[in-house]
Amino acid sequence: MGDQDAAELAIVIVSYNTREMTLACLASVYAQAQTAIEVVVVDNASTDGSAEAIARDFPQARLVAERTNHGFAPAHDIAVPLTSAPWLLLLNPDTVVLDGALDKLLDFAKRTPDAGIWGGRTVFADGTLNPSSCWGRMTLWSTFCRTSGLSGLFPASSVMNSEALGRWPRDTERDVDIVTGCLFLLQRATWDRLGGFDPAFVMYGEEVDLCMRAKAAGLQPRVTPDAVIVHYGAASDTVRPDKMVRLLRAKVELIKRHFPARSRWLGRQLFRLWPLSRAVALGVAGRLTGRADWREKAGEWRSVWDRRAEWQGGLGS
């Protein structure tokens, strides 16, 4: 149901060339939500007819059709001021809400108010777990495990693979460091108090930075397995050098901002070696096994390493 004047929950969706997915997402939101909602969609200058289709099929949503692609974080600076509800949910366009998930998430938040930020459980289209709904924070240890390959050798270990939380199936309520922006609930007052997303994080890292600032302010993000959505993202492990350069730039910035001062320099040096270690390991494995796909991935990681001047300085590079 949707009634902006009496809305309890504001839902913000930022889209870019995801017309069919965005339409499916909106259909699921309106079909599943029993809470009074208001929906704001910022379309980042899509060229696939997204804005026109959204305006046609969902006139009850507030559409902001931009002529510039602002990126994910800055688009929220456009959307959030247009909302008035006391609760704010950030929802990816490549999601489908299942079985009253939004109401369940809101109920969970009211039951655990000290968390401050709340998330749910994400699955792929076939119903299998998509573990990307939440993460552990980057630490000096996790960075060492990533670069040395220990996290890949021991993926089920919550010690060696702490950022991915081992292979915890996201089937229990749990405190986490990071709630992913695909399903991210907080009170509007908390968003305002924390200053929302830092617009410097145009594409990656914005929710990590916000969660780290929230934890520093005394909040403890928490997730529930009861609020389930389909999230199509993160389905592929393909290494795309341009995407990885942007991602690594954001991660270096997170190290600069959120590692303890005494470990910041070492953390950055360890992290910058990650693409090189991946390139070497995959190259050797590809030659030993004859796997052409591993050799191809090795070349992609080598390309990321060769472009390290673009990302090793963080967002200032």
Side-chain angles (χ1 to χ4, degrees), residues 120-143:
R121 188 172 191 265
T122 52
V123 298
F124 291 118
D126 62 1
T128 59
L129 176 69
N130 180 341
S132 65
S133 61
C134 55
W135 302 95
R137 68 184 300 164
M138 290 177 67
T139 64
L140 191 60
W141 172 250
S142 74
T143 303

